Amino acid sequence: MKKNVLSLLLLPVVLSASLLALASAQQPPTLTIEAGRPAGKVSPMHYGLMTEELNHAYDGGLYAELIRNRAFRDNAQTPVHWSAVGPGSDPGAATITLDRDQPLNADLPVSLRLDVAAASPAAPAGVANAGYWGIPVKPDTRYRASFYAKAAPGFTGPVLVAIESNDGATVYARGTVPRLSGEWKQYAVTLRTGKLTPTSQARFALRLD
């Protein structure tokens, strides 16, 4: 049986090109605090700092992020919110594990290793992300997905990128990365939906054929 191995570090985002250009052009902000020059009176009953994180608002709200656990660091032992998806009813054709032996850099030291033992164009296998209580699908909408990937020796691609129903039977939007390299590289795909009934019962998937 032929075995293809693909190691992935995924960082999907939802941003327009104009927002990306603006963000890259701005300089990092600086904050200067002069503790010896108080500017206002504060009640002695008020002290410290409080922050309240409701419904994963930091990850899924401030960043407009649809991928949950996008950097694979929510759990040190297992890639939570990610699942292997096999061709048809054979989930064993694909397996996923956390990989710390091939980091992208010091800030992103964990990648997701995907091993695919059996797949075909008619029955691709891969990995899926459940999102935050599902990936919201809207009609006539553009989604921008990006991820870093490197291929094991002997595999060059393609990688199929899709937003699909939780059972994989319905594909709402799809794209393709035609070829991978043996070194870490960032890939971006634009996914567009057509006329459809909105739903949140969907997932993000990367598959090999």
Side-chain angles (χ1 to χ4, degrees), residues 4 12 14 18 21 32 34 53 57 61 75 85 111 121 146 157 164 167 172 176 178-179 199 202:
N4 291 332
V14 181
S18 59
T32 302
E34 297 182 2
E53 214 275 23
N75 187 294
V85 288
S111 63
S146 68
E164 61 186 31
D167 60 3
Y172 301 107
T176 303
R179 186 176 180 84
T199 180

Side-chain angles (χ1 to χ4, degrees), residues 22-94:
L22 177 62
S24 62
Q26 293 177 338
Q27 295 297 321
T30 58
L31 175 64
T32 302
I33 300 176
E34 297 182 2
R37 299 178 60 185
K41 295 182 179 181
V42 179
S43 168
M45 298 180 64
H46 295 168
Y47 61 92
L49 172 68
M50 188 198 80
T51 180
E52 191 168 7
E53 214 275 23
L54 298 175
N55 295 332
H56 302 277
Y58 293 163
D59 284 343
L62 295 179
Y63 305 140
E65 179 59 71
L66 299 181
I67 303 300
R68 192 167 180 178
N69 188 23
R70 64 178 183 170
F72 315 112
R73 302 182 74 173
D74 284 10
N75 187 294
Q77 282 74 44
T78 182
V80 292
H81 311 301
W82 293 87
S83 61
V85 288
S89 59
D90 182 15

Side-chain angles (χ1 to χ4, degrees), residues 6 8 10 12 66-68 81-86 94 96 112 114 124-131 134-135 137 143 145-147 158-177 189 191 201-209:
L6 174 65
L8 294 176
L10 312 176
L66 299 181
I67 303 300
R68 192 167 180 178
H81 311 301
W82 293 87
S83 61
V85 288
I96 56 174
L112 180 68
L114 168 64
V127 61
N129 184 272
I135 299 291
V137 177
Y143 298 80
S146 68
F147 59 92
V159 177
L160 313 176
V161 185
I163 300 174
E164 61 186 31
S165 58
N166 289 332
D167 60 3
T170 302
V171 177
Y172 301 107
R174 72 179 71 198
T176 303
V177 172
V189 179
L191 310 175
Q201 303 303 307
R203 66 189 184 189
F204 174 79
L206 295 167
R207 295 176 181 267
L208 312 181
D209 63 6

Side-chain angles (χ1 to χ4, degrees), residues 137-143 163 172-173 191-196:
V137 177
K138 301 178 181 180
D140 299 316
T141 300
R142 183 184 70 173
Y143 298 80
I163 300 174
Y172 301 107
L191 310 175
R192 291 181 173 86
T193 60
K195 302 295 183 181
L196 51 80

